[in-house]
Amino acid sequence: MTVDQMSTVADRPRATASAGRTRSAGRAGATMTARRHRAFYMFVAPWIVGFLLLTIVPMAYALWLSFTTFDGISPNWHYVGLGNYRELMNDSVTWDSLGRAGLFAVVSVPLSIVAGLGLAVLVNRPIRARGLFRTLLYLPAVVPPVGAGIAFKNLFDQNAGATNGVLTFFGFDAIGWLADPYARYVLIMTVLWGAGNIMIISLAGLQDVPRELHEAARIDGASAWRTFRSITVPLLSPVLLFQTVTGVIASVQTIMPMLLAPLATTGGLTTVPQSNYTYMIHVFSQYFALGRYGYASALLWVLFVLILIATGLIFRFTSGVVFYNVDPEAKK
Amino acid sequence: MTATSLTPKSPVRVRIRANRLILYTVLVAVTGLFLGPFGWLVLTGLKTPAELASAPVHWVPAHIQWHNFADAFDLIDFLGYARNSLIIAFVYAGLVTLSSAWVGYGFARLSAPGKKTLFGILIGSMMLPQMITLLPTYLIFAKLGMVDTYWPWVLWGLSSAPYLVFLFRQFFAGLPRELEEAAIVDGCGYGTIFWRIFLPQSWPVLSASFVIAFTWTWGDYIAPQLLLSTDRSTLAVAVMTTYVSSAGTPITNLQAAASVMYVVPILLIFLVAQRGFVAGMSTSGLK
């Protein structure tokens, strides 16, 4: 913008604001509004088109497939109506894997939130090398799943793993960590390893907590724990709610069991220990190992509906918590 | 931390000192635990297969096998896979950053009937499990002949990502109204306003968005595993699946070395871009 353009604007700064009373100005305002509306749709179009083509269409396609016996190869697949869903209802493997996924979410999400929040409180104190601690604790959260999987596989290896090294050093027997029943604990530890992510987000929340509230509580003689429980946690609740919802969704979809399995290729799905055979692993084994696209699609749709219900329930039970602000004008 | 303090030790001072000692001990211990798995990965990558096979753990390699890193690099077409990863990461991150800025601008500065609903859907779609769309997407792309090409990443990039749209929207919504007023009065189109005024203002978010999208793609395992065949696949898939001997047993030390080489670039990018990256991450879910 050039200087004389700026001065032109300064000469008639209220031109648009005061318009709207006279008829001609009203019409001008209307075309301005129409232009703004058109522009809005032009700007959000990439997302709308992408959402329709890359999300809605695939989901509709999966819904259709879930009523068929399509396997990708055989030409004579057919429509079976609710057949796949009926099978799913009677399949104990499906229910067991769903139970494991649910248990994994119920255990790992609260644990990682508590861990992340705990770390955030620690690195929020005025300590030396605070930035360094924050960075180092956050670092594992940046490690891609494949890196994390391989790192944990080596850490918990029966012979060469450091954990068994420590156990045997203290005279205990080595444990087959990557097999049943211990594999589930390793899976949970991979989640906790990434708690730095929750730490960073909680830290931002902690820094928004008004200092006066803490001071007032201290004057009233509240203990540190009491202050944390009654002031910090409630003020952080939107952050915690967000973490819970995204954490649950991520945990039921995790492919980490596959990456932790002894020979982790897609062909190695059968080597995933029972205790880590979660719902998503079940979907993948139906899909890759057995090529049952129809049945796998039914499994995915059931999962989608269950996630909707779960998030609905989470929001229901935590209602009254402001989640985000839709209206940008309301910020002012 | 030493006891040879010159100041007189009042009980309060001693207690504070003890608390600090506990605090630092806990922090150092936790940090050690968090760095441990990665440290062990590096050590594993420096050992011989014999050391990894024998029962009492070899804490440190007797002779550090630096050549494992070179071997891991040579055993597979490491550079080729890295190049593939770089291509899709750059293509996706570049496109998705621009498209998300574009869409974010629309949500932040313009309005039209249905905006609230659309924004609600956008935010809601962030919670949509990606796996649910990925498997059918694979089948559709297979029909369109786009399997084993990088087109899916182009399309995903062009269609913007809700999370990044949200970041850009938050940023653009916070800029002053005066910024575009003059341009509007002069009859500039909104496209021009976006390109000439808003985009140049948003360097912090642009770089954060690029880094975030880049690390997503670099770290993604499932989409390339599904959509790309061996030659065109990415480093994530190669590191996970190709370090296997002809007998079908995993070559653990080379795989460990390879995964160090796979992870380190991401850690470096993070350390360099740390400030914007963390700021970007921490705006999510707040406000």
Side-chain angles (χ1 to χ4, degrees):
Chain A
M1 204 184 315
T2 61
V3 176
D4 63 324
Q5 268 177 317
M6 301 242 297
S7 64
T8 339
V9 175
D11 290 340
R12 44 183 171 125
R14 297 282 155 254
T16 43
S18 60
R21 286 288 166 266
T22 64
R23 282 186 80 212
S24 61
R27 203 177 299 135
T31 51
M32 282 280 283
T33 316
R35 214 180 96 186
R36 228 152 66 96
H37 288 182
R38 267 205 315 279
F40 172 77
Y41 290 116
M42 178 182 85
F43 273 95
V44 298
W47 169 68
I48 295 179
V49 173
F51 184 66
L52 288 177
L53 292 183
L54 298 168
T55 304
I56 299 298
V57 168
M59 288 190 68
Y61 185 52
L63 187 62
W64 156 245
L65 284 180
S66 75
F67 299 125
T68 70
T69 58
F70 185 61
D71 63 2
I73 308 158
S74 162
N76 43 353
W77 53 275
H78 49 270
Y79 179 80
V80 290
L82 292 174
N84 284 325
Y85 291 92
R86 220 170 290 128
E87 181 186 342
L88 187 155
M89 290 298 220
N90 297 317
D91 184 2
S92 63
V93 178
T94 300
W95 288 107
D96 290 347
S97 68
L98 183 63
R100 275 181 223 112
L103 187 68
F104 172 59
V106 166
V107 173
S108 70
V109 173
L111 266 183
S112 57
I113 289 178
V114 169
L117 189 55
L119 290 176
V121 171
L122 281 184
V123 297
N124 197 34
R125 318 260 327 239
I127 46 168
R128 224 164 286 167
R130 195 161 68 163
L132 182 68
F133 280 119
R134 286 179 185 174
T135 308
L136 293 180
L137 290 170
Y138 183 66
L139 218 51
V142 197
V143 172
V146 164
I150 294 172
F152 273 72
K153 227 160 43 171
N154 286 309
L155 190 67
F156 287 95
D157 188 90
Q158 175 122 33
N159 296 322
T163 41
N164 275 347
V166 173
L167 284 182
T168 48
F169 179 81
F170 286 107
F172 296 101
D173 287 335
I175 285 176
W177 285 104
L178 296 171
D180 290 319
Y182 301 101
R184 67 179 72 166
Y185 304 119
V186 177
L187 183 60
I188 289 168
M189 282 186 257
T190 62
V191 178
L192 287 176
W193 198 46
N197 202 11
I198 297 173
M199 173 192 82
I200 290 293
I201 295 171
S202 307
L203 195 58
L206 279 181
Q207 284 161 358
D208 280 353
V209 174
R211 193 174 276 265
E212 307 89 72
L213 285 178
H214 277 159
E215 275 161 12
R218 196 166 307 141
I219 291 165
D220 288 347
S223 68
W225 169 245
R226 180 67 211 240
T227 317
F228 178 73
R229 205 169 51 101
S230 303
I231 295 175
T232 313
V233 171
L235 284 171
L236 274 182
S237 59
V239 182
L240 300 179
L241 173 62
F242 179 81
Q243 291 305 316
T244 309
V245 172
T246 52
V248 167
I249 293 168
S251 75
V252 291
Q253 290 190 88
T254 184
I255 51 153
M256 198 45 95
M258 206 159 101
L259 303 178
L260 284 171
L263 259 181
T265 60
T266 41
L269 280 169
T270 44
T271 59
V272 171
Q274 273 294 304
S275 64
N276 275 359
Y277 191 85
T278 56
Y279 194 81
M280 196 46 74
I281 300 302
H282 186 49
V283 172
F284 274 99
S285 70
Q286 292 295 315
Y287 197 87
F288 287 111
L290 304 170
R292 302 186 65 200
Y293 296 165
Y295 189 60
S297 302
L299 288 170
L300 283 176
W301 258 93
V302 167
L303 181 67
F304 174 53
V305 172
L306 288 174
I307 287 177
L308 276 187
I309 295 172
T311 29
L313 287 177
I314 293 172
F315 279 116
R316 188 84 190 261
F317 285 121
T318 54
S319 62
V321 177
V322 185
F323 179 34
Y324 61 82
N325 204 342
V326 175
D327 188 7
E329 260 66 56
K331 268 186 83 177
K332 287 163 195 164
Chain B
M1 224 73 53
T2 48
T4 54
S5 170
L6 297 175
T7 48
K9 288 177 200 159
S10 71
V12 174
R13 205 173 269 275
V14 169
R15 217 186 63 192
I16 289 174
R17 220 159 247 278
N19 281 345
R20 302 211 113 207
L21 191 64
I22 293 168
L23 182 66
Y24 280 109
T25 314
V26 169
L27 265 179
V28 169
V30 173
T31 309
L33 276 179
F34 269 58
L35 295 182
F38 193 75
W40 193 250
L41 191 67
V42 176
L43 280 178
T44 308
L46 293 171
K47 288 175 190 172
T48 62
E51 280 177 311
L52 291 171
S54 66
V57 175
H58 292 259
W59 288 102
V60 279
H63 298 284
I64 294 178
Q65 311 288 313
W66 291 114
H67 65 85
N68 279 352
F69 281 82
D71 292 352
F73 199 82
D74 292 337
L75 186 74
I76 64 169
D77 184 13
F78 196 93
L79 262 188
Y81 290 118
R83 192 194 54 223
N84 296 347
S85 288
L86 276 177
I87 291 173
I88 63 165
F90 266 108
V91 165
Y92 176 75
L95 289 175
V96 84
T97 296
L98 278 182
S99 63
S100 301
W102 179 264
V103 176
Y105 174 81
F107 277 117
R109 310 300 290 205
L110 297 162
S111 60
K115 176 180 167 174
K116 276 197 174 180
T117 316
L118 285 175
F119 194 67
I121 295 173
L122 179 101
I123 296 296
S125 72
M126 259 200 262
M127 290 172 205
L128 209 69
Q130 278 157 353
M131 290 294 181
I132 286 164
T133 55
L134 195 57
L135 294 185
T137 300
Y138 163 73
L139 292 175
I140 293 170
F141 281 155
K143 276 197 176 150
L144 298 174
M146 286 202 272
V147 161
D148 215 16
T149 70
Y150 297 147
W151 279 108
W153 281 270
V154 174
L155 296 180
W156 282 324
L158 287 174
S159 76
S160 81
Y163 179 74
L164 302 176
V165 169
F166 183 70
L167 286 190
F168 276 106
R169 178 213 168 261
Q170 295 296 83
F171 180 78
F172 287 140
L175 294 178
R177 182 87 184 90
E178 290 75 39
L179 210 56
E180 74 233 84
E181 246 165 20
I184 291 172
V185 171
D186 288 346
C188 276
Y190 286 100
T192 318
I193 295 175
F194 170 74
W195 284 110
R196 303 278 294 276
I197 302 174
F198 278 79
L199 208 56
Q201 295 278 327
S202 58
W203 272 111
V205 202
L206 283 172
S207 54
S209 161
F210 188 88
V211 170
I212 291 169
F214 188 93
T215 52
W216 280 347
T217 323
W218 186 268
D220 190 12
Y221 174 73
I222 287 295
Q225 168 77 292
L226 263 175
L227 292 164
L228 300 171
S229 76
T230 346
D231 280 357
R232 286 173 184 258
S233 201
T234 61
L235 205 50
V237 177
V239 165
M240 198 68 218
T241 58
T242 53
Y243 287 95
V244 180
S245 74
S246 49
T249 50
I251 312 172
T252 311
N253 54 348
L254 296 195
Q255 192 191 36
S259 45
V260 171
M261 292 190 284
Y262 160 67
V263 167
V264 162
I266 283 299
L267 297 185
L268 290 180
I269 290 174
F270 162 70
L271 290 175
V272 170
Q274 204 198 138
R275 193 166 292 201
F277 193 83
V278 169
M281 293 306 236
S282 52
T283 355
S284 70
L286 299 172
K287 284 145 211 170

